[in-house]
């Protein structure tokens, strides 16, 4: 049995707590890629195994969220490739999660109609409450690219009158 240092035990505890507290968000995020309940559960399971196996590669506890989401994202992509499926990210978000607080807005449909490269950014930014820098890390894109896509997605939503509730 390998004895862990105090710092390693703290890091592992923090990661485990994050996973438990955010399990539903991790599932929703995986679902946006694979669009299937069973595949999403497999992705989350495989990602958690990877996370725990590679916990030493987490350099800063403050970066747990983007680090974990990046692993979930990569695991989902691997799952899609492994199963030789062609799936676009987030086509059926309205089926994945019921957002009761948004039931009066047709937000599901609005986000679902966005092009894929914008959908994932909207979901990470507004549903998962991530910072631009975290999204940039997860998607391996420049922060300026993420900002541009975010503003473009919001512009599309506004132009399609999906955001009129925010204007009132």
């Amino acid at each position: 049995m390998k004895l862990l240092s105090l710092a390693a035990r703290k890091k592992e505890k923090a990661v485990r707590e994050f996973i438990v507290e955010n399990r539903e968000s991790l599932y929703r995020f995986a679902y946006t890629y694979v669009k299937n309940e069973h595949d999403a559960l497999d992705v989350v399971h495989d990602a958690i195994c990877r996370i725990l196996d590679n916990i030493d590669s987490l350099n800063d506890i403050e970066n747990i969220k983007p680090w974990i989401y990046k692993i979930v994202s990569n695991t989902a992509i691997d799952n899609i490739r492994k199963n030789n499926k062609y799936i676009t990210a987030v086509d059926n978000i309205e089926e994945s999660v019921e957002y009761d607080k948004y039931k009066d807005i047709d937000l599901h449909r609005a986000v679902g109609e966005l092009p894929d490269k914008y959908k994932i950014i909207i979901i990470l930014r507004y549903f998962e409450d991530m910072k631009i820098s975290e999204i940039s890390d997860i998607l391996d894109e420049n922060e300026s690219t993420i900002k541009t896509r975010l503003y473009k997605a919001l512009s599309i939503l506004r132009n399609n009158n999906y955001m009129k509730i925010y204007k009132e």
Side-chain angles (χ1 to χ4, degrees):
M1 185 172 137
K2 182 179 170 184
L3 294 175
L4 296 175
S5 70
L6 179 60
R9 284 185 295 195
K10 276 184 165 179
K11 189 182 340 182
E12 184 173 335
K13 181 181 179 192
V15 167
R16 288 179 187 272
E17 286 175 359
F18 182 88
I19 290 169
V20 170
E21 291 171 5
N22 295 282
R23 64 187 178 273
E24 293 167 1
S25 292
L26 295 172
Y27 168 79
R28 285 191 308 263
F29 184 63
Y31 191 96
T32 62
Y33 279 96
V34 296
K35 308 214 187 6
N36 174 300
E37 179 181 341
H38 299 293
D39 287 345
L41 291 171
D42 287 343
V43 166
V44 171
H45 174 267
D46 293 347
I48 290 171
C49 291
R50 285 184 184 182
I51 289 164
L52 296 175
D53 285 345
N54 296 301
I55 202 163
D56 293 336
S57 69
L58 176 62
N59 297 324
D60 183 6
I61 291 180
E62 299 299 317
N63 292 327
I64 286 176
K65 188 174 185 175
W67 182 75
I68 287 177
Y69 274 83
K70 184 172 183 118
I71 292 172
V72 173
S73 176
N74 290 338
T75 304
I77 291 167
D78 290 347
N79 179 279
I80 292 168
R81 286 181 186 146
K82 180 180 80 176
N83 292 325
N84 203 18
K85 295 178 181 178
Y86 175 74
I87 299 176
T88 57
V90 201
D91 273 344
N92 296 317
I93 188 171
E94 63 273 3
E95 295 174 12
S96 67
V97 178
E98 190 167 317
Y99 296 99
D100 289 334
K101 62 184 175 183
Y102 298 113
K103 67 183 178 184
D104 293 333
I105 316 171
D106 200 358
L107 188 60
H108 305 124
R109 186 170 54 88
V111 173
E113 291 175 359
L114 286 171
D116 296 336
K117 65 183 181 181
Y118 303 126
K119 285 181 207 177
I120 198 72
I121 293 170
I122 291 289
I123 288 169
L124 290 173
R125 179 69 183 104
Y126 296 107
F127 293 117
E128 302 303 331
D129 197 31
M130 290 190 184
K131 298 175 183 170
I132 299 294
S133 60
E134 293 172 329
I135 298 169
S136 172
D137 290 343
I138 291 167
L139 299 179
D140 285 328
E141 297 278 356
N142 280 327
E143 285 186 32
S144 59
T145 302
I146 298 300
K147 287 178 187 176
T148 301
R149 289 182 184 166
L150 176 62
Y151 295 129
K152 177 67 174 176
L154 293 173
S155 174
I156 292 169
L157 291 171
R158 275 187 211 102
N159 290 337
N160 290 329
N161 292 321
Y162 294 121
M163 302 281 289
K164 69 180 180 182
I165 191 164
Y166 297 112
K167 295 177 184 175
E168 296 175 349

